[in-house]
């Protein structure tokens, strides 16, 4: 009997550090042969490019991009054939890592893994939710603070996680970490493990090979029964959660995932928007940083990322913005960009206004 290929899902809100964490896992993979599926809400693949840069020419790591959409949802016609192609070369794959979009829930993938097409070839190893800990402690995910849409997605991502990874913690003391853990436990009391990622790095033994959904004894076995149909927008939680067996190992209570609630939040709320702004003129890193911070003040922009062209470096220059925190750094792996491209993600954010702010404050044309 063939052994199913383990799958780890990495979820987390916009800018939590999922891609950075994945890059560190690739670095520490030792002899593991990995297949990575990278899903981005924007129309261009920034995260996929970063992961490819880490993997380099290593043929033991293959990266598959899923930009501008929701992996395993609705009109996604790539997920199933991509997974079947991975299964066809199973002799060369030890583990599959799937990074969801920052606005996605992991449950669509979880359900697809239980489908007749994939259940015989893959098994869920664990779902990791990566958390921007300073953002959590700043009350940005509290309901009633003007970020209810973000708070809802964030809470649902935690709800369906097996492991929560507290990221960006290097400047936090023990009291802050205890408060962060308390807030996670309040939102998701069934989370199995909380882990700390110092400098966006996690021991690979805490991320891969956890076997949280794989039976270890026959009397403890799981039987996954696929749903007859995809749940609709008004679907509720199934009365018989046992049909979607969660996991209960080591005497812990079962952690049943109600996949009928997996409807992606931004499909119900079209306020989540993503657009790409471009400029052909060389940029000043300091001016652009200030412009992005001003755009966040004026518009509900939650995430900005991309590569820019500058006159200051012969290498690619990477922009990573989470709300008003904007980091601009040289990416030594990639050559300089021919033009600047930024993915902007926000809630009812105006493309016209953001482009106008960037154009005015950088003195260059953004469109």
């Amino acid at each position: 009997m063939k052994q199913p290929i383990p799958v780890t899902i990495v979820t987390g809100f916009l800018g939590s550090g999922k891609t950075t964490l994945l890059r560190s896992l690739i670095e520490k993979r030792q002899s593991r042969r990995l297949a990575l599926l990278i899903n981005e809400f924007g129309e261009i693949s920034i995260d996929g490019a970063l992961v490819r840069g880490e993997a380099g020419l290593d043929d033991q790591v293959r990266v598959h991009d899923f930009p501008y959409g929701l992996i395993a949802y609705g009109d996604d016609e790539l997920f199933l054939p991509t997974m079947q192609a991975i299964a066809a070369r199973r002799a060369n794959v030890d583990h599959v890592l799937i990074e969801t979009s920052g606005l996605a829930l992991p449950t669509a993938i979880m359900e697809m893994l239980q489908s007749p097409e994939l259940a015989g070839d893959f098994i869920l190893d664990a779902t990791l939710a990566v958390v921007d800990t300073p953002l959590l402690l700043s009350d940005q995910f509290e309901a009633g603070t003007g970020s209810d849409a973000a708070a809802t997605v964030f809470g649902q991502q935690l709800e369906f996680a097996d492991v929560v990874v507290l990221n960006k913690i290097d400047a936090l003391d023990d009291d802050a970490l205890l408060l962060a853990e308390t807030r996670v436990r309040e939102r998701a009391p069934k989370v199995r493990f909380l882990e700390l990622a110092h400098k966006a790095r996690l021991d690979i033994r805490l991320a891969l090979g956890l076997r949280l959904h794989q039976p270890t004894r026959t009397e403890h076995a799981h039987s996954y029964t696929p749903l007859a149909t995809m749940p609709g927008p008004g679907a509720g939680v199934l009365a018989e959660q046992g049909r979607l067996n969660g996991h209960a190992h080591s005497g812990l209570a079962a952690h049943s995932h109600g996949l009928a609630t997996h409807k992606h939040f931004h499909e119900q709320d079209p306020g989540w928007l993503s657009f790409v702004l471009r400029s052909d003129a060389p940029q000043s890193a300091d001016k652009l940083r200030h412009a992005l911070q001003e755009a966040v003040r004026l518009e509900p922009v939650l995430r900005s990322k991309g590569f820019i062209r500058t006159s200051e470096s012969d290498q690619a220059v990477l922009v990573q913005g989470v709300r008003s925190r904007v980091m601009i750094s040289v990416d030594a792996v990639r050559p300089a960009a021919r033009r600047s491209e930024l993915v902007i993600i926000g809630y009812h954010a105006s493309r016209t206004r953001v482009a106008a702010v960037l154009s005015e404050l950088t003195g260059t044309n953004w469109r």
Side-chain angles (χ1 to χ4, degrees), residues 287-288 290-292 294-295 298 356-364:
K287 287 183 178 180
L288 181 61
H290 172 64
L292 286 170
E294 185 66 10
L298 298 173
V357 170
L358 265 58
S359 296
E360 178 183 354
L361 296 183
T362 63
T364 60

Side-chain angles (χ1 to χ4, degrees), residues 44 56 108 316 323 366:
I44 59 176
R323 306 199 189 203
W366 286 87

Side-chain angles (χ1 to χ4, degrees), residues 163-272:
V163 181
V164 170
V165 180
L166 296 179
N167 199 18
K168 306 184 182 181
I169 61 173
D170 301 283
L172 302 179
D173 59 21
D174 289 345
D175 289 340
L177 292 176
L178 286 172
L179 178 57
E181 178 177 353
T182 299
R183 292 191 174 185
V184 168
R185 292 290 186 190
E186 287 173 349
R187 287 172 170 81
K190 293 182 180 180
V191 164
R192 294 285 297 274
F193 305 108
L194 270 81
E195 305 294 350
L196 304 180
H198 293 278
K199 299 186 184 302
R201 292 175 176 269
L202 189 65
D203 189 320
I204 198 165
R205 294 170 297 180
L206 303 177
L208 304 184
L210 298 183
R211 300 169 64 92
L212 295 183
H213 297 258
Q214 188 163 349
T216 55
R217 299 188 303 273
T218 55
E219 69 269 23
H220 212 71
H222 297 277
S223 59
Y224 293 105
T225 305
L227 295 177
T229 58
M230 182 70 75
V237 179
L238 289 181
E240 281 190 57
Q241 288 294 321
R243 289 183 57 200
L244 302 168
N245 285 347
H247 47 274
H249 296 295
S250 305
L252 295 177
H255 182 174
S256 295
H257 296 291
L259 300 187
T261 64
H262 82 276
K263 185 73 172 177
H264 190 280
F265 184 75
H266 105 268
E267 288 185 322
Q268 298 180 33
D269 187 343
W272 289 113

Side-chain angles (χ1 to χ4, degrees), residues 13-14 41-42 103 146 149-150 153 265-266 269-276 295-296 299-305 321 323 343-351 354:
F13 198 68
L14 299 166
F41 190 55
L103 294 174
V153 175
F265 184 75
H266 105 268
D269 187 343
W272 289 113
L273 300 173
S274 170
F275 49 86
V276 177
V296 170
E299 286 292 314
V301 172
L302 279 72
R303 185 78 166 102
S304 56
K305 58 183 176 180
R323 306 199 189 203
V343 177
I344 306 293
I345 303 174
Y347 190 69
H348 290 292
S350 167
R351 176 194 178 99
V354 174

